[in-house]
Amino acid sequence: MDLIIFDDPIISNNFKPLTYTRAAFELTLGSKTVLDRLLNALKPDEAFLVVPHYLKEVVEERHPTITVNPAAVNEDVVLVNGFFNPSFKDYLKKVASENKRFVIFDEDLLAAARLDEFHLNKIMQAIEERKPYLSALPDATPSFNATNIVNVKYPWHLLDLIDALLKEQAEEMGVAREALPSNIYVKGSGEGLRFGEGVTVESFVTFDTSSGPIILDDGCRVESFTRISGPTYIGKGSLIKPSSIIEGSIIGEGCKIGGEVSNSIILSYTNKAHLGYIGHSVVGEWVNLGAATCNSDLKNTYGSVKVNVGGVAVDTKRVKLGCFIGDGVKSSIGTQISTGRKIGVFSHIGGFIDQDIPPFTFCPKGVDRGAEPMTLEEVLKVHRRMMSRRGKSPTEAYERMIKAIFETCMVERGG
């Protein structure tokens, strides 16, 4: 069965600012992206990706073996939402085997479909333009509904996946390949630890596997007096600085982490090298959080946290929820971020942040002391400098993507 994995415009809008710079299915959770996990479960004969036009080039760079936004496909191909729940794979195969044409919904989200050529092209066009797509679906096609067949609808739902995904990835790694270092303390079972190649763990580190596995991927380093509680994943080449506390979190590749991180996801090449707290949050790539940057993840009233999604205050029905920080954000020392806040891509923030910050915004002393839009030239200059410190540089396609986002967000950022 051939598949088109599509970046759902509804989910992508819900996930902003994390999805300005990537398709939602490119989010990395542990050692795999959402897309990796989906392809591994569904095992298509051939796969295609459909993403917004402005992301096409960077998605092609990240997935060079997969055709992105194909000009033409066989109408027998099955459209699959990028956040299709892999546990429904047998259900999808059953529906596909019994129906030449079909549509599967999860409430107002399209989970999967096989359409005639006209409607297939129409919906692909809507997705590439990141527009609502439901009007492109034919009325007469057999329709099915399944609850939780799309298992992530808002970014805070990602935090619910940490436990199951890391248990799954630990099982795939098999048993520990070598004896544990004698200079560490393990609370719980040592079987819950997985070390990759070239991992360094200094003396007086505590691993607590009583609540889930701990995975240290290739080349990462954990320095002395750190405590890591599972389920936790530390990405390739990442550095965990001395006396850090990390629990129930995913740390991406090439990160530098200090202080405390709790029940959060931090994507690759992000620095949080000093004391400070990040909890129940999702942080993008190439972010630098200055010393003593902290977010609140609990209201004084112990009430449910609300998050602004597309201009609507969505009740998350969660007492514990932090913030969502887009790629390329920089925070000054002592920055404080209140519950449920969203920080737009490539913004610079400081002081007390009690409102959402648009993309490309310079707000160094807190919202109440003024904010102004950044220039594109300054954004690119700073980002090139940050990447060069890791021996990397942005590709031409990546910079064209930044320029496209900058132009799209002109009204949102105020000029």
Side-chain angles (χ1 to χ4, degrees), residues 129-146:
E129 295 174 359
R130 212 170 238 185
K131 293 180 177 178
Y133 55 76
L134 295 180
S135 61
L137 295 171
D139 295 330
T141 303
S143 177
F144 303 85
N145 285 276

Side-chain angles (χ1 to χ4, degrees), residues 111 113 159 292 334:
L159 304 176

Side-chain angles (χ1 to χ4, degrees), residues 298-319:
L298 178 68
K299 297 169 69 173
N300 289 347
T301 61
Y302 300 93
S304 179
V305 177
K306 294 182 179 179
V307 175
N308 186 322
V309 178
V312 177
V314 176
D315 186 351
T316 66
K317 304 188 187 309
R318 293 166 186 251
V319 173

Side-chain angles (χ1 to χ4, degrees), residues 332-333 335 348-353 361-366 369-372:
S332 303
I333 60 171
T335 301
H348 292 203
I349 60 172
F352 182 57
I353 305 299
T361 298
F362 185 65
C363 181
K365 297 181 180 180
R369 298 182 66 180
E372 60 186 50

Side-chain angles (χ1 to χ4, degrees), residues 66-232:
I66 304 178
T67 300
V68 181
N69 293 359
V73 291
N74 188 314
E75 66 175 13
D76 289 331
V77 71
V78 176
L79 272 170
V80 176
N81 193 303
F83 268 106
F84 182 91
N85 188 340
S87 63
F88 282 80
K89 62 182 180 180
D90 292 334
Y91 175 77
L92 174 62
K93 291 177 181 178
K94 182 177 186 296
V95 172
S97 67
E98 296 175 353
N99 299 272
K100 181 173 177 59
R101 304 283 176 239
F102 65 89
V103 177
I104 304 175
F105 291 102
D106 185 339
E107 297 179 349
D108 61 344
L109 294 175
L110 176 63
R114 185 156 57 203
L115 307 172
D116 60 81
E117 183 177 358
F118 173 79
H119 289 95
L120 176 61
N121 289 331
K122 193 174 179 182
I123 196 169
M124 286 174 59
Q125 180 180 351
I127 293 166
E128 290 174 16
E129 295 174 359
R130 212 170 238 185
K131 293 180 177 178
Y133 55 76
L134 295 180
S135 61
L137 295 171
D139 295 330
T141 303
S143 177
F144 303 85
N145 285 276
T147 302
N148 291 328
I149 195 170
V150 179
N151 60 345
V152 174
K153 301 176 177 68
Y154 292 101
W156 49 89
H157 293 156
L158 293 172
L159 304 176
D160 299 335
L161 300 180
I162 293 174
D163 183 48
L165 289 180
L166 294 190
K167 286 178 179 176
E168 179 183 292
Q169 291 175 25
E171 289 175 2
E172 291 174 357
M173 293 179 70
V175 297
R177 289 179 288 182
E178 53 189 50
L180 296 176
S182 58
N183 58 343
I184 65 172
Y185 173 72
V186 179
K187 179 183 178 183
S189 171
E191 295 298 316
L193 283 176
R194 298 290 188 278
F195 287 9
E197 300 290 343
V199 171
T200 300
V201 180
E202 294 184 354
S203 300
F204 308 111
V205 170
T206 296
F207 295 104
D208 183 355
T209 63
S210 56
S211 295
I214 297 171
I215 302 172
L216 306 185
D217 215 329
D218 299 347
C220 72
R221 182 182 185 90
V222 182
E223 296 186 336
S224 296
F225 303 106
T226 289
R227 180 186 177 92
I228 300 177
S229 301
T232 287

